[in-house]
Amino acid sequence: MVSLFFSLLQPLSSITWTPHNPKEGQNVTLVPGGDLKSVIKCSWYRGKRNQILTYQLLPLSEHRYGLAYTGRETINPDCSLHIVNLTHLDTGFYTIQKQKNGTEPAEMGKTFLLVGGKWVPQALEQAMACQGGLVPASKPACVKWSLFT
């Protein structure tokens, strides 16, 4: 059953966000790659399973709020997630699932959002942002940092 589940999901090309280095108190928008062709529902999660919000595009536009919803998140018609008044608690992995109509496989993507602020020393913030492809695709390549040198 597990292999069947994974065969029904296609990876997204990317998830980008604006601004590129969000700070506490700012707003951020996470934009999933791909198009909306045949998409009937978009769901955003904190981590893998903590549902924030689901946006039903078809047949009727509808929003469903999950347990991870704080009241600061909205989903736009393009399935992007907008979060206002960021706090350090917003740092973490975000997952989107785009469910498609019919037999087309759903799309899934994940990104790590690091919210900067006084709680994150600048060198650590840069090091974490540069590790493991956590930098938005539109940001230039960054210098590799080592936390253990």
Side-chain angles (χ1 to χ4, degrees):
M1 179 66 180
V2 172
S3 61
L4 175 63
F5 174 74
F6 285 111
S7 68
L8 297 176
L9 294 174
Q10 296 292 323
L12 289 173
S13 57
S14 65
I15 297 175
T16 58
W17 59 88
T18 306
H20 298 302
N21 297 306
K23 307 284 185 216
E24 288 180 309
Q26 291 182 332
N27 304 336
V28 70
T29 302
L30 305 175
V31 182
D35 59 36
L36 293 177
K37 182 181 177 185
S38 304
V39 173
I40 60 171
K41 180 169 53 173
C42 297
S43 298
W44 279 96
Y45 301 85
R46 280 197 175 82
K48 286 185 178 179
R49 300 180 187 176
N50 300 315
Q51 184 180 21
I52 302 169
L53 192 55
T54 295
Y55 176 53
Q56 181 87 29
L57 287 81
L58 298 172
L60 299 172
S61 178
E62 176 186 4
H63 291 82
R64 282 186 243 133
Y65 304 95
L67 295 176
Y69 179 72
T70 68
R72 297 179 295 114
E73 302 90 358
T74 55
I75 293 184
N76 298 315
D78 65 353
C79 292
S80 62
L81 179 69
H82 185 71
I83 307 171
V84 299
N85 196 23
L86 290 169
T87 74
H88 68 280
L89 298 175
D90 293 313
T91 292
F93 283 97
Y94 287 80
T95 303
I96 183 171
Q97 183 173 0
K98 289 184 190 177
Q99 183 178 336
K100 297 198 171 192
N101 196 7
T103 60
E104 291 187 55
E107 293 179 335
M108 186 178 216
K110 182 166 72 170
T111 193
F112 185 85
L113 178 67
L114 178 65
V115 178
K118 293 179 183 177
W119 71 280
V120 179
Q122 186 175 4
L124 178 60
E125 182 177 330
Q126 290 173 343
M128 290 177 69
C130 291
Q131 297 299 316
L134 303 180
V135 178
S138 58
K139 184 176 179 184
C142 50
V143 177
K144 294 290 181 186
W145 291 76
S146 174
L147 297 175
F148 303 105
T149 58

